[in-house]
Amino acid sequence: MKGTVGIVDFHAATNYGSALLAYALQRVVSDMGYDCSIINYQPQKQVDGYRLPILVSRHPVKRWIESLCWLPYNKQMKRKVDKFKSFAHDYMRLTPYCCDPSKINEECGTFDYYIAGGDQIWNTGCFEFEWYYYLDFVRNGKKIAYAPSMGPNGRKTIPAHLAERVRREVKTYQAVAVRDSGTAAFFDSNLPVVLDPTMLLDVEEWNKLAGDSPLIKGEYVFYYDPFDHEVGKNAAREYAVEHGYRIVSSNIYMIFQKDTRTFDYRLDAGPLEFLNFVKYAKYCIGRSFHLCVFSLLFRKEFQMADGLIDARNRELAESLWGDVERLSKAGDNDMIVSATDYTAEVETRFRDLRESSLLFLNKALNS
């Protein structure tokens, strides 16, 4: 082995993108010949934030009513959480668990290299944010940032009173590459922008995890938006009616807004089921960066509601297609990708981006 690597990310979140990118980055680093583990620290804020049922109302009475509305779905949601835990157990190499930030080094161990890896871990506005995600606990060892993000609004996410500390923490890194130009723009230097960790794995790896047969029988549209915005749901309804497909969804955010007449909810879907739903869908619609990513990886036809005004989705599309206005076939802000958009030129651009991203990671670990 070339050395030990500890990865910091949102691996324990009940979130498809977070779990799948954690697996991907660890897999890639391990394949490079390193003894790689995910540091199994989980902030109490994250534990509380994903506690079932998910209640979004602020008023006590509304929260009580909300909890009652969730009752028919509690068993499904519990199965989803269990599937996320099983995925972590089966596909991630984790250190011992720790929930005390002062004991991370003691309980999780120390490493030759530390990677702040992917997702919005540098978004100080995330409900589970802690300075841990900037690797402030590291005393020895090389610090590397691979594709962390400050979120959809990039540098605007960081409030003025935290900006100095963010810069001070990142100055202690030996190698830094971020997921988007909005995050890079926060810093004075021209940081490289690299692909999300999920895009480093060959699609055949994702095909294996997704399975050889569809879990949903018949033709369907797969809809996913972690926050269930109406614009995405309306786009799914319109497409399904026009083409005669059913709509499958693995998520409800606001229980008051569930639509069981139109949506076939599969709320017990874990990371593997999510991959399967995307792989075998006739069409994917939503407002999710990782739905966009996996639709691209599986070469699906898909629609990102308001995708052209989501900086993350737009920048990813620009890196592959250049002029993304050509993807606005409806003449609005939706990003629509059809089978004919996957040209040889796009395949070449994707291959080049993947190679350059892997090269950065390899050099960061070897220099």
Side-chain angles (χ1 to χ4, degrees):
M1 289 291 178
K2 296 179 180 179
T4 57
V5 178
I7 296 176
V8 165
D9 49 29
F10 288 154
H11 70 282
T14 310
N15 177 282
Y16 299 119
S18 298
L20 294 169
L21 79 81
Y23 161 75
L25 184 56
Q26 183 183 43
R27 173 67 185 274
V28 168
V29 173
S30 296
D31 287 349
M32 289 179 175
Y34 293 88
D35 183 5
C36 182
S37 299
I38 294 172
I39 298 176
N40 196 16
Y41 168 71
Q42 187 177 25
Q44 187 60 44
K45 290 183 288 187
Q46 188 179 76
V47 175
D48 295 339
Y50 285 101
R51 198 182 303 278
L52 299 178
I54 303 295
L55 305 179
V56 299
S57 301
R58 295 180 181 273
H59 193 280
V61 175
K62 287 185 177 180
R63 288 175 68 85
W64 179 74
I65 296 173
E66 201 175 354
S67 65
L68 292 179
C69 292
W70 270 113
L71 286 176
Y73 305 98
N74 281 345
K75 288 184 178 179
Q76 286 190 63
M77 293 297 290
K78 178 63 167 59
R79 288 197 298 270
K80 172 185 278 189
V81 171
D82 290 342
K83 287 177 180 178
F84 270 86
K85 291 179 179 178
S86 294
F87 181 80
H89 177 272
D90 295 341
Y91 293 98
M92 300 179 196
R93 184 183 180 192
L94 303 173
T95 69
Y97 182 79
C98 176
C99 59
D100 183 343
S102 69
K103 297 181 178 179
I104 294 171
N105 291 313
E106 176 187 344
E107 297 185 2
C108 298
T110 56
F111 301 87
D112 300 320
Y113 306 89
Y114 294 83
I115 300 177
D119 224 331
Q120 295 185 43
I121 59 173
W122 282 4
N123 182 350
T124 59
C126 279
F127 75 87
E128 67 257 71
F129 173 77
E130 289 186 1
W131 289 106
Y132 159 81
Y133 294 108
Y134 279 88
L135 305 183
D136 74 329
F137 66 95
V138 176
R139 299 295 173 259
N140 295 295
K142 184 176 182 178
K143 295 183 183 180
I144 299 167
Y146 182 84
S149 173
M150 291 176 173
N153 296 317
R155 61 181 177 178
K156 297 177 183 178
T157 304
I158 309 299
H161 70 283
L162 297 180
E164 183 180 349
R165 179 164 182 187
V166 168
R167 292 190 175 93
R168 186 169 69 247
E169 296 289 351
V170 175
K171 282 182 179 179
T172 66
Y173 285 61
Q174 283 69 50
V176 180
V178 295
R179 193 175 74 179
D180 51 78
S181 59
T183 300
F186 177 85
F187 302 94
D188 296 330
S189 58
N190 294 318
L191 295 179
V193 174
V194 290
L195 289 178
D196 185 82
T198 54
M199 304 185 82
L200 298 182
L201 280 186
D202 189 277
V203 69
E204 286 309 311
E205 296 295 329
W206 295 120
N207 271 317
K208 291 176 185 176
L209 289 177
D212 296 328
S213 59
L215 297 173
I216 306 294
K217 304 304 179 186
E219 296 181 330
Y220 64 92
V221 172
F222 180 52
Y223 162 79
Y224 177 69
D225 175 357
F227 299 106
D228 249 3
H229 294 88
E230 281 299 316
V231 64
K233 289 196 288 189
N234 287 336
R237 292 182 184 108
E238 291 172 8
Y239 188 91
V241 168
E242 181 180 351
H243 294 86
Y245 297 144
R246 63 201 284 210
I247 307 172
V248 171
S249 177
S250 62
N251 184 68
I252 297 176
Y253 180 63
M254 297 185 70
I255 192 66
F256 295 139
Q257 296 180 5
K258 69 180 185 298
D259 179 6
T260 54
R261 292 180 300 175
T262 309
F263 292 80
D264 179 0
Y265 291 112
R266 305 298 178 102
L267 301 183
D268 60 350
L272 299 180
E273 288 79 12
F274 174 83
L275 292 174
N276 186 279
F277 293 168
V278 176
K279 178 180 177 179
Y280 292 104
K282 292 296 292 183
Y283 200 75
C284 295
I285 298 179
R287 282 171 51 100
S288 158
F289 176 72
H290 281 104
L291 177 62
C292 180
V293 165
F294 281 103
S295 296
L296 288 168
L297 288 171
F298 287 125
R299 306 301 189 265
K300 306 301 297 186
E301 293 191 314
F302 69 95
Q303 180 174 345
M304 288 294 108
D306 286 340
L308 295 181
I309 56 175
D310 183 317
R312 302 166 302 167
N313 290 331
R314 184 183 181 96
E315 184 169 5
L316 177 58
E318 285 175 340
S319 70
L320 296 173
W321 282 282
D323 178 17
V324 294
E325 298 303 327
R326 65 190 295 272
L327 302 178
S328 180
K329 299 179 178 65
D332 54 22
N333 291 319
D334 287 4
M335 185 172 79
I336 302 175
V337 175
S338 62
T340 57
D341 291 315
Y342 293 106
T343 63
E345 182 180 3
V346 169
E347 299 293 344
T348 298
R349 287 180 178 177
F350 174 67
R351 184 176 63 250
D352 291 345
L353 289 168
R354 182 171 178 268
E355 288 178 358
S356 63
S357 297
L358 287 168
L359 181 62
F360 166 83
L361 187 57
N362 211 343
K363 284 185 174 180
L365 288 165
N366 279 292
S367 61

